Amino acid sequence: MHAARVALRVPPDALHPMHAFVCDSPDVDRETILERDARGDVTTLLLQVDGDREGYEAAIDQVPQVVEWTTTAADDGFYVYVRTALREREAGYRDALDRESVLVVPPVELRADRTVRQTMVGHSDELTAALAALPDDVAVDVLWTGRYRRDATRRLSDRQREALTAAWDCGYYETPSEAGLAAVADHLGCATSTASDLLRRAERRLVARALDEGL
């Protein structure tokens, strides 16, 4: 099994209206596809959106392809349940990427920089063929390839996770900070230098994942 994390850069005039809204709105950072059922003529999606809920609702209500939608609050942003007819453009993406031996693994991020970032799993030659079948005007940037990784937190050691939890609980990450490294070290029962090293290594892995850098 081979995995690849890719960024697909779509030309401005080919963006889906809601992705274009994410790119144009200063109050929305990204739209993330959490689940997708694209088997029929109407695709059903569960999204998470970081940003202004009212502005997003006003925009999605104007998209003619959208059959129905509803939103609900989330701890970070809000969720969107939407059923939408596929434009010819999106149907082409589906035909290129939805193959028997290739999986597009959610979440799929639609970012404000006009990229669609997603992880794909399958045979190496089939992954290459799927990406090659995309429209010629879609630029493909391969961010990393190799062994499939579910998420960054599973790559943390138990001790790194313990250090992050201690730092969070004691207020180390509050703004302004309510505790320093000494408090984290005291909670862990270790030297301050050890606590600093554990946090630095854990934070590096989390940041690398957020930036789609393979570690």
Side-chain angles (χ1 to χ4, degrees), residues 70-149:
T70 186
T71 65
T72 188
D75 291 338
D76 186 11
F78 56 96
Y79 297 116
V80 184
Y81 170 86
V82 58
R83 299 181 69 243
T84 180
L86 291 181
R87 303 182 308 166
E88 183 178 352
R89 184 83 184 192
E90 281 78 44
Y93 297 154
R94 181 183 64 181
D95 293 343
L97 300 178
D98 286 3
R99 300 172 177 235
E100 288 186 1
S101 58
V102 173
L103 287 174
V104 175
V105 184
V108 175
E109 297 180 12
L110 286 72
R111 296 195 176 191
D113 61 0
R114 298 200 339 265
T115 63
V116 178
R117 300 196 178 206
Q118 60 190 33
T119 300
M120 302 171 64
V121 175
H123 300 299
S124 179
D125 56 343
E126 286 295 321
L127 293 177
T128 300
L131 293 172
L134 289 167
D136 292 339
D137 58 1
V138 174
V140 178
D141 183 14
V142 178
L143 303 173
W144 56 257
T145 62
R147 182 174 58 86
Y148 175 66
R149 303 187 295 271

Side-chain angles (χ1 to χ4, degrees), residues 32-37 44-48 79-82:
T32 303
I33 301 174
L34 302 178
E35 298 291 344
R36 180 186 68 136
D37 183 349
T44 303
L45 301 166
L46 176 64
L47 312 172
Q48 184 169 9
Y79 297 116
V80 184
Y81 170 86
V82 58

Side-chain angles (χ1 to χ4, degrees), residues 7 10 12 26 40 44 53 57 61-62 74 84 87 89 117-118 131 135 147 152 164 171 174 177-178 184-185:
V10 182
T44 303
R53 182 174 173 181
E57 290 175 338
D61 202 41
Q62 301 301 312
T84 180
R87 303 182 308 166
R89 184 83 184 192
R117 300 196 178 206
Q118 60 190 33
L131 293 172
R147 182 174 58 86
L164 287 174
E174 294 295 328
S177 179
E178 298 175 356
V184 179

Side-chain angles (χ1 to χ4, degrees), residues 162-197 199 203:
E162 183 183 0
L164 287 174
T165 301
W168 184 269
D169 289 346
C170 73
Y172 179 80
Y173 290 113
E174 294 295 328
T175 304
S177 179
E178 298 175 356
L181 283 171
V184 179
D186 184 64
H187 186 93
L188 295 172
C190 67
T192 301
S193 60
T194 302
S196 175
D197 184 67
L199 289 177
E203 290 164 356

